[in-house]
Amino acid sequence: MSNITFKLNHEEVSVELNPSMRLLDALRDHFHLTGPKEGCGEGECGACSVLVNGKLVNSCCFPLANVQGKEVLTIEGYSKTERYHVLVEAFAHEGGSQCGICTPGMLIAAESLLTKNNHPTDEEIRIGISGNLCRCTGYNAIIKAIQRAIKQGAGLW
Amino acid sequence: MVKHIIPANLKSALAYLSEGTFQIMAGGTDLMIQKRSTAGTLPHFERDILYLANLEELRYIQRKDGSVHIGSMTTLEEIIDHPDAPELLKEVIREMGSPAIRHAGTLGGNIGNASPAGDSLVALYLLDAQVLLSSAEGDRLLPIENVILGVRKTAMKPNELIHEIIISEAKFDQVKWVKVGGRQADAISKVSFAGAYRVSNHQVVDFRLAFGAISITVLRNRAIEKKYENHSVAEINEDLPEILKAYNALISPIDDQRSNKIYRREVALNIAKDFIEKMKE
Amino acid sequence: MKDLTRSTPKVDHEEKCSGKSVFVSDIHLEGMLFAKTVRSTVAKAKITGISLPVLPKGYTIVDHKDVIKENVVNMIFSDWPVFATDHVNYIGEPIMLIVGPDKKVLDDLVPQIKIDYELEKPEFGYFHSSIHKEYTKGDTKLAFFNSDRIIEETFETGYQEQAYIEPQGMIAYPEGPKKVTLIGSMQCPYYIKNAVMRTLGYSEDQVRVIQPSVGGAFGGKEEFPSTTACQLATAVVKIGRPIKMIFEREEDMLVTTKRHPSKITLRAAIDENHKIQAIKAHVSMDGGAYLGLSGVVLARAMIAVSASYTIPHLDVSGDVYTTNTVPTGAFRGFGAPQMIFAIEMFMHHIAKELHADPFTFRLAHLAKQGDLTSTGGVFRDPIIMKELIQKAAEISDYHKKVVAYRKPGSFKGVGMSWFFHGCGFTGDGESSHIKARVKLVKDEQDHVFVLIAAVDMGQGAKTSLKRIVAQTLDLPNEQVTFNNPDTDQILDSGPTVASRTTMIVGGLLQRAAESLKKAWIPGKKIEIIEKYQQPDYIRWNEATMKGDAYPAYSWGVNVVEVEVSPITYQVKVKGVWSVYDVGKAIDERMVLGQADGGITQGIAYGYLEVMRHEEGKIKQKNFTDYIIPTSVDVPVYQTVLYENPFPFGPNGAKGVGELTLVGGAPAVALAIEQAIGKKINKIPATPEFIMGLLKHE
């Protein structure tokens, strides 16, 4: 057990947990968040996506030790932003969410991409979400949604 | 009980390493998966763990004396973004894993993991990278091929950590990277290939080929390369069948759940052939 | 009257985006325990002994001895045991559960449980037939006798894993002294309820099933969750505490049901006018260790033999083979993808052998309204395939590309598949097996509740079905509520399978809403129940497989363009164009979503997704090794929907869910064939396979 101190969804938190714990387990079992999900446990599907210092990571293979002093944002924190709402509207408009299990991860991945590059090409969007698997949509509706969000949310990213 | 140490700085990390035996954890993208257990339970670590990912002292890319020095904890994404990182390395990393993996994975972690399918290792072999291993007792500088000994086996001593990777800035006329994965993104290599050359006065003065995922370590054979130094592109192409035969004798691909040895062998040689055929005078 | 084709926002969109949507793994109950399954590590053996470690306090073993009524999981064919007794028949077969409060302790205990096996010789391949079916149409003997040419080919297809992103999982808990409630990732609440009732010997009011949000299913959660439910229900009866079991991804990939691998032999009798007069077909399917619903998968595959063509004489037989491998089961398409691959490739190959243009050759065989179906039923409704084909050719530039790419060494190809899908349960399933009922309840506040068993697993049923009711009643959408099914509140409208939800359940809801409209009295509570009535004109003989196998058919055309690397033999999908007739879309955006998702799975089935077993051990058990497409693997898609309203479907709708998958594999396989100039008879057409074809001179 060690003390790990970090910011979670803009709040400073300090926990006495095993530092080798998967960040995903800390978020779901200790903080009772449901946004990040277990889809594969091996960093392939992206359902566990969160942002660490604004960057997309797979929380299922991220040790808690590595968030020491960092800022972690899950969909719960992200959903309070205007950018989130623009993305949600865009996803609704294009049909970017069907069963919804990959959706929080896709939104987090979109945020990570657009923060770094606010005018990505079609190819760059595809690469930006290439680590988030979706079995329902075939991806094109998600790409269109992100493209729409960029247009509708001009100036936000 | 497993101890967990998040050292405050490099000196402290080296001190811990000289006192005990540790599993070094970098970004976690390989180790956390290898050691994972049922969801909601802790991963199976037997040794004490030393977490290095947050050491800012090991995150840098600097040009010094004709070489690029990359700190071992520099993330893969940071390498892509840095203007001084070698172009080949960037090209390789762009096709590795996914954005999430690249944001957490490190070059030091890739070396420590010593996977036969490790893409970044192929680039490091081709670029004659050297690895600085540091301990409380001092430093050792080893060429990459002397650091990676086999599958998940390195030459690191228990009290050492990977400090930085040094790549001398070589000029090439052409550099080629081919990754053959199961799909277009987020794939483990079935076969990979890096090739580079430089022509001067119609002679090929630098000729390098490296193959990944077709042996237990990256395959690079300097004897074959040296044989064709100071030959023209046309001469090298005349000898193409011999060159391919020579590499064919060296590669030892396997059958596994991703592919088979016939495919890996054929494709590795196809790629090498294509590279050599497309060399320009 | 507002147009149902127009798209409206999905009622669950916000909760799905925010992460607040409750999936089974998000649920925690007071005093909840966890369960882990102890599974067979061998493909076939007699269990001669089991030695258990000393269990810490609070940890319990649950096995076949704890099953209180019947150690069988109720299914279409009930041969799956809840727990193995003295024999195991596949690697991964559940032998017992170990239940307790700490998952780590469970992980430590499992390897301490020693099972003694007396190994027996496992069977693999197409040898031991457990189900045999056959049917005929016309007189094939005469047709073959009079034929000008006879061509025969064999086709093979592999496993396909549903790969839903939410792994399987279930919670069971005691609700009162003799009632068990189950919450889990599922498609069919009543399949689960009926299975648990049978295993426990409980009555209707003693078993309750609640559906949480479901993260994808595609058939993989049709019958399999019943096995988990029966195991957990048995454990709850023994222990009396809530128990949760969520599958790890590797476990899920190794032991849950998958698409049946198949081997299909087609033999065609061709007359001197290049018309196929007869086809003799045999379908072999690998059913794995237990049959479950394999008989229905076989039937659908057999019935699809002539696909979108009319062949006057047919002689079709099929077998499901039992092997010591993981039992295969439902997956979107349900036997059709295997057969559509075979027949589409066959038609092309025949044309090539006859030196005929494949497009014209196939066109000459295209089914027309009024033609007899494969089983001697009738295509009663208009067939607009010619228009679909023309449109698909136009938007993809198909004909020009065929000419351009057929030059040897182009390594580019374009493939066009034509296909159909029978909507609804095969044969008389709707009336003999499902007997669907829907219930609408209007309360005193004039709010209407839709009380049915349909599961929204991403296809949008939660939104579209309530719209049908709101529309018919002329109410705003907000005045109608369709909550996730809870069997204590609803009626059994049948399983969410077989592309029946919009057409059959939606149709029933429309009729119920019409009845409610007639009976409407403001401020009064009114309850309307509507029962499924098989239309009179549907005649089906299950034994002879003759008559109308389906009440309606949806039709489609897919065009796929590929580039194959002559160096690495990898396939790049460059373009995808689709045209569909699903009657009339209910919520066009949702239908286009099904189109996109379906074809992605169908194409990947044809060239990308590989799952094999070695002596009964599945080799690809995680997302690293079982490769499904990423966003980078798919090009932009173009999809066009044509209207051809079905008079008995709500808003004119026919089935959608599976149609959009069945044409993908032949389209990509035909494209690869053209690119490499070699015949493809087997999928997935991986780079390794393509290399083998090219090297085999």
Side-chain angles (χ1 to χ4, degrees), chain A residues 18-20 25 41-42 44 56 61 65-66 68 70 116 127, chain B residues 4 26 32-33 36 40 43 51 54 77 81 99-100 103 183:
Chain A
N18 192 306
S20 71
D25 291 326
E42 46 148 26
E44 281 285 326
L56 177 71
C61 53
N66 288 1
Q68 171 71 27
K70 302 226 165 89
K116 189 169 177 191
I127 292 171
Chain B
H4 303 270
M32 289 296 285
I33 295 169
R36 87 186 191 283
Y51 300 87
N54 282 1
E77 185 81 2
D81 290 343
H103 288 146
R183 60 188 173 198

PDB file of all heavy atoms in Angstrom, chain A residues 18-20 25 41-42 44 56 61 65-66 68 70 116 127, chain B residues 4 26 32-33 36 40 43 51 54 77 81 99-100 103 183:
ATOM      1  N   ASN A  18      -2.773  -0.215  -3.510  1.00  0.00           N
ATOM      2  CA  ASN A  18      -1.601  -0.857  -4.078  1.00  0.00           C
ATOM      3  C   ASN A  18      -1.216  -0.146  -5.378  1.00  0.00           C
ATOM      4  O   ASN A  18      -2.031  -0.031  -6.286  1.00  0.00           O
ATOM      5  CB  ASN A  18      -1.932  -2.328  -4.341  1.00  0.00           C
ATOM      6  CG  ASN A  18      -0.709  -3.141  -4.667  1.00  0.00           C
ATOM      7  OD1 ASN A  18       0.047  -2.788  -5.584  1.00  0.00           O
ATOM      8  ND2 ASN A  18      -0.496  -4.205  -3.935  1.00  0.00           N
ATOM      9  N   PRO A  19       0.016   0.338  -5.482  1.00  0.00           N
ATOM     10  CA  PRO A  19       0.413   1.109  -6.674  1.00  0.00           C
ATOM     11  C   PRO A  19       0.401   0.291  -7.967  1.00  0.00           C
ATOM     12  O   PRO A  19       0.373   0.870  -9.056  1.00  0.00           O
ATOM     13  CB  PRO A  19       1.849   1.552  -6.354  1.00  0.00           C
ATOM     14  CG  PRO A  19       1.956   1.454  -4.878  1.00  0.00           C
ATOM     15  CD  PRO A  19       1.073   0.325  -4.464  1.00  0.00           C
ATOM     16  N   SER A  20       0.432  -1.050  -7.852  1.00  0.00           N
ATOM     17  CA  SER A  20       0.408  -1.849  -9.080  1.00  0.00           C
ATOM     18  C   SER A  20      -1.019  -2.119  -9.531  1.00  0.00           C
ATOM     19  O   SER A  20      -1.237  -2.775 -10.545  1.00  0.00           O
ATOM     20  CB  SER A  20       1.137  -3.183  -8.874  1.00  0.00           C
ATOM     21  OG  SER A  20       0.378  -4.029  -8.024  1.00  0.00           O
ATOM     22  N   ASP A  25      -9.234  -0.523 -12.309  1.00  0.00           N
ATOM     23  CA  ASP A  25      -9.836  -1.091 -11.099  1.00  0.00           C
ATOM     24  C   ASP A  25      -9.973  -0.037 -10.010  1.00  0.00           C
ATOM     25  O   ASP A  25     -10.949  -0.026  -9.258  1.00  0.00           O
ATOM     26  CB  ASP A  25      -9.006  -2.280 -10.600  1.00  0.00           C
ATOM     27  CG  ASP A  25      -9.095  -3.465 -11.546  1.00  0.00           C
ATOM     28  OD1 ASP A  25     -10.162  -3.661 -12.136  1.00  0.00           O
ATOM     29  OD2 ASP A  25      -8.081  -4.182 -11.697  1.00  0.00           O
ATOM     30  N   GLY A  41      -9.207  -6.117 -21.097  1.00  0.00           N
ATOM     31  CA  GLY A  41      -8.156  -6.229 -20.105  1.00  0.00           C
ATOM     32  C   GLY A  41      -6.754  -6.290 -20.666  1.00  0.00           C
ATOM     33  O   GLY A  41      -5.806  -6.546 -19.929  1.00  0.00           O
ATOM     34  N   GLU A  42      -6.586  -6.052 -21.979  1.00  0.00           N
ATOM     35  CA  GLU A  42      -5.225  -6.139 -22.520  1.00  0.00           C
ATOM     36  C   GLU A  42      -4.894  -5.007 -23.476  1.00  0.00           C
ATOM     37  O   GLU A  42      -4.112  -5.182 -24.397  1.00  0.00           O
ATOM     38  CB  GLU A  42      -5.006  -7.497 -23.180  1.00  0.00           C
ATOM     39  CG  GLU A  42      -6.112  -7.954 -24.083  1.00  0.00           C
ATOM     40  CD  GLU A  42      -5.615  -8.786 -25.240  1.00  0.00           C
ATOM     41  OE1 GLU A  42      -4.552  -9.423 -25.114  1.00  0.00           O
ATOM     42  OE2 GLU A  42      -6.290  -8.773 -26.277  1.00  0.00           O
ATOM     43  N   GLU A  44      -6.427  -3.527 -25.856  1.00  0.00           N
ATOM     44  CA  GLU A  44      -6.760  -3.621 -27.285  1.00  0.00           C
ATOM     45  C   GLU A  44      -8.028  -2.887 -27.671  1.00  0.00           C
ATOM     46  O   GLU A  44      -8.155  -2.407 -28.783  1.00  0.00           O
ATOM     47  CB  GLU A  44      -6.953  -5.096 -27.676  1.00  0.00           C
ATOM     48  CG  GLU A  44      -5.669  -5.847 -27.890  1.00  0.00           C
ATOM     49  CD  GLU A  44      -4.998  -5.485 -29.201  1.00  0.00           C
ATOM     50  OE1 GLU A  44      -5.686  -5.209 -30.193  1.00  0.00           O
ATOM     51  OE2 GLU A  44      -3.758  -5.459 -29.224  1.00  0.00           O
ATOM     52  N   LEU A  56      -4.841  10.358 -24.112  1.00  0.00           N
ATOM     53  CA  LEU A  56      -5.584   9.106 -24.097  1.00  0.00           C
ATOM     54  C   LEU A  56      -4.701   7.950 -23.632  1.00  0.00           C
ATOM     55  O   LEU A  56      -3.611   7.775 -24.147  1.00  0.00           O
ATOM     56  CB  LEU A  56      -6.060   8.825 -25.523  1.00  0.00           C
ATOM     57  CG  LEU A  56      -6.810   7.534 -25.784  1.00  0.00           C
ATOM     58  CD1 LEU A  56      -8.196   7.602 -25.161  1.00  0.00           C
ATOM     59  CD2 LEU A  56      -6.922   7.295 -27.291  1.00  0.00           C
ATOM     60  N   CYS A  61      -4.188  -1.121 -18.506  1.00  0.00           N
ATOM     61  CA  CYS A  61      -2.775  -1.485 -18.414  1.00  0.00           C
ATOM     62  C   CYS A  61      -1.951  -0.293 -17.937  1.00  0.00           C
ATOM     63  O   CYS A  61      -0.787  -0.149 -18.287  1.00  0.00           O
ATOM     64  CB  CYS A  61      -2.243  -2.067 -19.722  1.00  0.00           C
ATOM     65  SG  CYS A  61      -2.532  -1.065 -21.188  1.00  0.00           S
ATOM     66  N   ALA A  65       0.384   3.696  -9.764  1.00  0.00           N
ATOM     67  CA  ALA A  65       1.609   4.438  -9.424  1.00  0.00           C
ATOM     68  C   ALA A  65       1.892   5.538 -10.436  1.00  0.00           C
ATOM     69  O   ALA A  65       2.366   6.622 -10.090  1.00  0.00           O
ATOM     70  CB  ALA A  65       2.799   3.488  -9.368  1.00  0.00           C
ATOM     71  N   ASN A  66       1.596   5.265 -11.696  1.00  0.00           N
ATOM     72  CA  ASN A  66       1.956   6.213 -12.745  1.00  0.00           C
ATOM     73  C   ASN A  66       1.036   7.427 -12.832  1.00  0.00           C
ATOM     74  O   ASN A  66       1.287   8.325 -13.638  1.00  0.00           O
ATOM     75  CB  ASN A  66       2.048   5.501 -14.106  1.00  0.00           C
ATOM     76  CG  ASN A  66       3.275   4.613 -14.224  1.00  0.00           C
ATOM     77  OD1 ASN A  66       4.062   4.507 -13.266  1.00  0.00           O
ATOM     78  ND2 ASN A  66       3.460   3.986 -15.359  1.00  0.00           N
ATOM     79  N   GLN A  68       0.533   9.266 -10.132  1.00  0.00           N
ATOM     80  CA  GLN A  68       1.020  10.122  -9.049  1.00  0.00           C
ATOM     81  C   GLN A  68       1.307  11.530  -9.583  1.00  0.00           C
ATOM     82  O   GLN A  68       2.083  11.703 -10.515  1.00  0.00           O
ATOM     83  CB  GLN A  68       2.297   9.493  -8.452  1.00  0.00           C
ATOM     84  CG  GLN A  68       3.060  10.334  -7.477  1.00  0.00           C
ATOM     85  CD  GLN A  68       2.333  10.486  -6.148  1.00  0.00           C
ATOM     86  OE1 GLN A  68       1.551   9.627  -5.746  1.00  0.00           O
ATOM     87  NE2 GLN A  68       2.590  11.598  -5.489  1.00  0.00           N
ATOM     88  N   LYS A  70      -0.519  13.446 -11.324  1.00  0.00           N
ATOM     89  CA  LYS A  70      -1.059  13.750 -12.653  1.00  0.00           C
ATOM     90  C   LYS A  70      -2.549  14.073 -12.565  1.00  0.00           C
ATOM     91  O   LYS A  70      -3.171  13.966 -11.510  1.00  0.00           O
ATOM     92  CB  LYS A  70      -0.831  12.568 -13.592  1.00  0.00           C
ATOM     93  CG  LYS A  70       0.630  12.170 -13.743  1.00  0.00           C
ATOM     94  CD  LYS A  70       0.988  11.945 -15.201  1.00  0.00           C
ATOM     95  CE  LYS A  70       2.478  11.920 -15.388  1.00  0.00           C
ATOM     96  NZ  LYS A  70       3.059  10.588 -15.230  1.00  0.00           N
ATOM     97  N   LYS A 116      -4.922  17.847 -29.475  1.00  0.00           N
ATOM     98  CA  LYS A 116      -3.604  17.926 -30.097  1.00  0.00           C
ATOM     99  C   LYS A 116      -3.707  18.492 -31.521  1.00  0.00           C
ATOM    100  O   LYS A 116      -2.824  19.201 -31.982  1.00  0.00           O
ATOM    101  CB  LYS A 116      -2.994  16.530 -30.127  1.00  0.00           C
ATOM    102  CG  LYS A 116      -1.558  16.538 -30.550  1.00  0.00           C
ATOM    103  CD  LYS A 116      -0.892  15.203 -30.312  1.00  0.00           C
ATOM    104  CE  LYS A 116       0.547  15.284 -30.839  1.00  0.00           C
ATOM    105  NZ  LYS A 116       1.184  13.986 -30.885  1.00  0.00           N
ATOM    106  N   ILE A 127      -6.935   7.277 -37.370  1.00  0.00           N
ATOM    107  CA  ILE A 127      -5.797   6.872 -36.539  1.00  0.00           C
ATOM    108  C   ILE A 127      -6.061   7.255 -35.083  1.00  0.00           C
ATOM    109  O   ILE A 127      -5.751   6.482 -34.171  1.00  0.00           O
ATOM    110  CB  ILE A 127      -4.498   7.523 -37.061  1.00  0.00           C
ATOM    111  CG1 ILE A 127      -4.135   6.923 -38.424  1.00  0.00           C
ATOM    112  CG2 ILE A 127      -3.350   7.332 -36.071  1.00  0.00           C
ATOM    113  CD1 ILE A 127      -3.006   7.631 -39.147  1.00  0.00           C
TER     114      ILE A 127
ATOM    115  N   HIS B   4       6.567  -1.508  -3.271  1.00  0.00           N
ATOM    116  CA  HIS B   4       6.379  -0.631  -4.424  1.00  0.00           C
ATOM    117  C   HIS B   4       7.143   0.653  -4.197  1.00  0.00           C
ATOM    118  O   HIS B   4       6.878   1.360  -3.225  1.00  0.00           O
ATOM    119  CB  HIS B   4       4.896  -0.319  -4.621  1.00  0.00           C
ATOM    120  CG  HIS B   4       4.059  -1.542  -4.795  1.00  0.00           C
ATOM    121  ND1 HIS B   4       3.813  -2.092  -6.038  1.00  0.00           N
ATOM    122  CD2 HIS B   4       3.436  -2.341  -3.901  1.00  0.00           C
ATOM    123  CE1 HIS B   4       3.064  -3.168  -5.884  1.00  0.00           C
ATOM    124  NE2 HIS B   4       2.826  -3.343  -4.598  1.00  0.00           N
ATOM    125  N   ALA B  26       7.929   0.587 -16.529  1.00  0.00           N
ATOM    126  CA  ALA B  26       7.957   1.855 -17.258  1.00  0.00           C
ATOM    127  C   ALA B  26       6.503   2.308 -17.472  1.00  0.00           C
ATOM    128  O   ALA B  26       5.809   2.614 -16.531  1.00  0.00           O
ATOM    129  CB  ALA B  26       8.712   1.713 -18.565  1.00  0.00           C
ATOM    130  N   MET B  32       1.884  -4.759 -17.442  1.00  0.00           N
ATOM    131  CA  MET B  32       0.590  -4.841 -16.759  1.00  0.00           C
ATOM    132  C   MET B  32      -0.300  -5.897 -17.418  1.00  0.00           C
ATOM    133  O   MET B  32      -1.161  -6.480 -16.777  1.00  0.00           O
ATOM    134  CB  MET B  32      -0.117  -3.478 -16.784  1.00  0.00           C
ATOM    135  CG  MET B  32       0.514  -2.414 -15.903  1.00  0.00           C
ATOM    136  SD  MET B  32       0.444  -2.821 -14.150  1.00  0.00           S
ATOM    137  CE  MET B  32      -1.290  -2.481 -13.811  1.00  0.00           C
ATOM    138  N   ILE B  33      -0.078  -6.128 -18.707  1.00  0.00           N
ATOM    139  CA  ILE B  33      -0.876  -7.139 -19.396  1.00  0.00           C
ATOM    140  C   ILE B  33      -0.299  -8.527 -19.145  1.00  0.00           C
ATOM    141  O   ILE B  33      -1.025  -9.484 -18.889  1.00  0.00           O
ATOM    142  CB  ILE B  33      -0.959  -6.816 -20.894  1.00  0.00           C
ATOM    143  CG1 ILE B  33      -1.732  -5.507 -21.085  1.00  0.00           C
ATOM    144  CG2 ILE B  33      -1.655  -7.937 -21.665  1.00  0.00           C
ATOM    145  CD1 ILE B  33      -1.670  -4.933 -22.463  1.00  0.00           C
ATOM    146  N   ARG B  36      -1.284  -9.681 -15.675  1.00  0.00           N
ATOM    147  CA  ARG B  36      -2.639  -9.407 -15.239  1.00  0.00           C
ATOM    148  C   ARG B  36      -3.342 -10.651 -14.726  1.00  0.00           C
ATOM    149  O   ARG B  36      -3.038 -11.774 -15.081  1.00  0.00           O
ATOM    150  CB  ARG B  36      -3.447  -8.774 -16.360  1.00  0.00           C
ATOM    151  CG  ARG B  36      -4.123  -9.727 -17.312  1.00  0.00           C
ATOM    152  CD  ARG B  36      -4.732  -8.913 -18.421  1.00  0.00           C
ATOM    153  NE  ARG B  36      -5.626  -9.666 -19.263  1.00  0.00           N
ATOM    154  CZ  ARG B  36      -5.235 -10.522 -20.212  1.00  0.00           C
ATOM    155  NH1 ARG B  36      -3.974 -10.743 -20.409  1.00  0.00           N
ATOM    156  NH2 ARG B  36      -6.141 -11.150 -20.942  1.00  0.00           N
ATOM    157  N   GLY B  40     -10.434  -6.642 -11.478  1.00  0.00           N
ATOM    158  CA  GLY B  40     -10.754  -6.316 -10.100  1.00  0.00           C
ATOM    159  C   GLY B  40      -9.788  -6.909  -9.095  1.00  0.00           C
ATOM    160  O   GLY B  40      -9.937  -6.716  -7.895  1.00  0.00           O
ATOM    161  N   PRO B  43      -2.523  -7.350 -10.267  1.00  0.00           N
ATOM    162  CA  PRO B  43      -1.659  -8.167 -11.131  1.00  0.00           C
ATOM    163  C   PRO B  43      -0.680  -8.983 -10.269  1.00  0.00           C
ATOM    164  O   PRO B  43      -0.382  -8.611  -9.140  1.00  0.00           O
ATOM    165  CB  PRO B  43      -0.904  -7.131 -11.980  1.00  0.00           C
ATOM    166  CG  PRO B  43      -1.298  -5.800 -11.507  1.00  0.00           C
ATOM    167  CD  PRO B  43      -2.309  -5.916 -10.440  1.00  0.00           C
ATOM    168  N   TYR B  51       8.992   1.903 -10.033  1.00  0.00           N
ATOM    169  CA  TYR B  51       8.234   2.604 -11.069  1.00  0.00           C
ATOM    170  C   TYR B  51       9.052   3.794 -11.579  1.00  0.00           C
ATOM    171  O   TYR B  51       9.319   4.736 -10.832  1.00  0.00           O
ATOM    172  CB  TYR B  51       6.911   3.118 -10.529  1.00  0.00           C
ATOM    173  CG  TYR B  51       5.996   2.034 -10.013  1.00  0.00           C
ATOM    174  CD1 TYR B  51       6.079   1.586  -8.694  1.00  0.00           C
ATOM    175  CD2 TYR B  51       5.027   1.452 -10.846  1.00  0.00           C
ATOM    176  CE1 TYR B  51       5.236   0.581  -8.224  1.00  0.00           C
ATOM    177  CE2 TYR B  51       4.179   0.461 -10.380  1.00  0.00           C
ATOM    178  CZ  TYR B  51       4.295   0.025  -9.075  1.00  0.00           C
ATOM    179  OH  TYR B  51       3.453  -0.953  -8.608  1.00  0.00           O
ATOM    180  N   ASN B  54       7.545   8.127 -14.109  1.00  0.00           N
ATOM    181  CA  ASN B  54       7.398   9.536 -13.752  1.00  0.00           C
ATOM    182  C   ASN B  54       8.714  10.279 -13.589  1.00  0.00           C
ATOM    183  O   ASN B  54       8.722  11.460 -13.262  1.00  0.00           O
ATOM    184  CB  ASN B  54       6.594   9.655 -12.444  1.00  0.00           C
ATOM    185  CG  ASN B  54       5.103   9.468 -12.699  1.00  0.00           C
ATOM    186  OD1 ASN B  54       4.701   9.234 -13.832  1.00  0.00           O
ATOM    187  ND2 ASN B  54       4.301   9.566 -11.670  1.00  0.00           N
ATOM    188  N   GLU B  77       4.953   8.526 -28.117  1.00  0.00           N
ATOM    189  CA  GLU B  77       4.324   9.693 -28.741  1.00  0.00           C
ATOM    190  C   GLU B  77       5.286  10.889 -28.724  1.00  0.00           C
ATOM    191  O   GLU B  77       5.369  11.646 -29.692  1.00  0.00           O
ATOM    192  CB  GLU B  77       3.035  10.047 -27.985  1.00  0.00           C
ATOM    193  CG  GLU B  77       2.215  11.165 -28.612  1.00  0.00           C
ATOM    194  CD  GLU B  77       1.349  10.682 -29.759  1.00  0.00           C
ATOM    195  OE1 GLU B  77       1.359   9.481 -30.045  1.00  0.00           O
ATOM    196  OE2 GLU B  77       0.661  11.514 -30.365  1.00  0.00           O
ATOM    197  N   ASP B  81       6.717  13.279 -31.861  1.00  0.00           N
ATOM    198  CA  ASP B  81       6.519  14.728 -31.900  1.00  0.00           C
ATOM    199  C   ASP B  81       7.814  15.521 -31.921  1.00  0.00           C
ATOM    200  O   ASP B  81       7.806  16.710 -32.240  1.00  0.00           O
ATOM    201  CB  ASP B  81       5.692  15.178 -30.670  1.00  0.00           C
ATOM    202  CG  ASP B  81       4.242  14.721 -30.764  1.00  0.00           C
ATOM    203  OD1 ASP B  81       3.808  14.365 -31.882  1.00  0.00           O
ATOM    204  OD2 ASP B  81       3.562  14.719 -29.718  1.00  0.00           O
ATOM    205  N   PRO B  99      -2.915   5.024 -30.351  1.00  0.00           N
ATOM    206  CA  PRO B  99      -2.556   6.275 -29.670  1.00  0.00           C
ATOM    207  C   PRO B  99      -2.410   6.083 -28.156  1.00  0.00           C
ATOM    208  O   PRO B  99      -1.457   6.578 -27.566  1.00  0.00           O
ATOM    209  CB  PRO B  99      -3.732   7.200 -30.001  1.00  0.00           C
ATOM    210  CG  PRO B  99      -4.253   6.690 -31.293  1.00  0.00           C
ATOM    211  CD  PRO B  99      -4.052   5.215 -31.264  1.00  0.00           C
ATOM    212  N   ALA B 100      -3.315   5.329 -27.550  1.00  0.00           N
ATOM    213  CA  ALA B 100      -3.251   5.137 -26.101  1.00  0.00           C
ATOM    214  C   ALA B 100      -1.962   4.428 -25.699  1.00  0.00           C
ATOM    215  O   ALA B 100      -1.326   4.778 -24.705  1.00  0.00           O
ATOM    216  CB  ALA B 100      -4.466   4.341 -25.621  1.00  0.00           C
ATOM    217  N   HIS B 103       0.965   6.793 -25.964  1.00  0.00           N
ATOM    218  CA  HIS B 103       1.026   7.842 -24.940  1.00  0.00           C
ATOM    219  C   HIS B 103       1.654   7.336 -23.654  1.00  0.00           C
ATOM    220  O   HIS B 103       2.080   8.123 -22.816  1.00  0.00           O
ATOM    221  CB  HIS B 103      -0.383   8.360 -24.614  1.00  0.00           C
ATOM    222  CG  HIS B 103      -0.964   9.184 -25.715  1.00  0.00           C
ATOM    223  ND1 HIS B 103      -2.303   9.200 -26.010  1.00  0.00           N
ATOM    224  CD2 HIS B 103      -0.397  10.025 -26.600  1.00  0.00           C
ATOM    225  CE1 HIS B 103      -2.526  10.004 -27.030  1.00  0.00           C
ATOM    226  NE2 HIS B 103      -1.385  10.520 -27.408  1.00  0.00           N
ATOM    227  N   ARG B 183      -3.755  -6.453 -39.402  1.00  0.00           N
ATOM    228  CA  ARG B 183      -4.662  -5.441 -39.930  1.00  0.00           C
ATOM    229  C   ARG B 183      -3.907  -4.126 -40.043  1.00  0.00           C
ATOM    230  O   ARG B 183      -2.710  -4.081 -39.723  1.00  0.00           O
ATOM    231  CB  ARG B 183      -5.892  -5.297 -39.033  1.00  0.00           C
ATOM    232  CG  ARG B 183      -5.549  -4.880 -37.620  1.00  0.00           C
ATOM    233  CD  ARG B 183      -6.754  -4.924 -36.694  1.00  0.00           C
ATOM    234  NE  ARG B 183      -6.330  -4.686 -35.312  1.00  0.00           N
ATOM    235  CZ  ARG B 183      -7.049  -4.993 -34.243  1.00  0.00           C
ATOM    236  NH1 ARG B 183      -8.241  -5.556 -34.375  1.00  0.00           N
ATOM    237  NH2 ARG B 183      -6.587  -4.743 -33.034  1.00  0.00           N
TER     238      ARG B 183
END
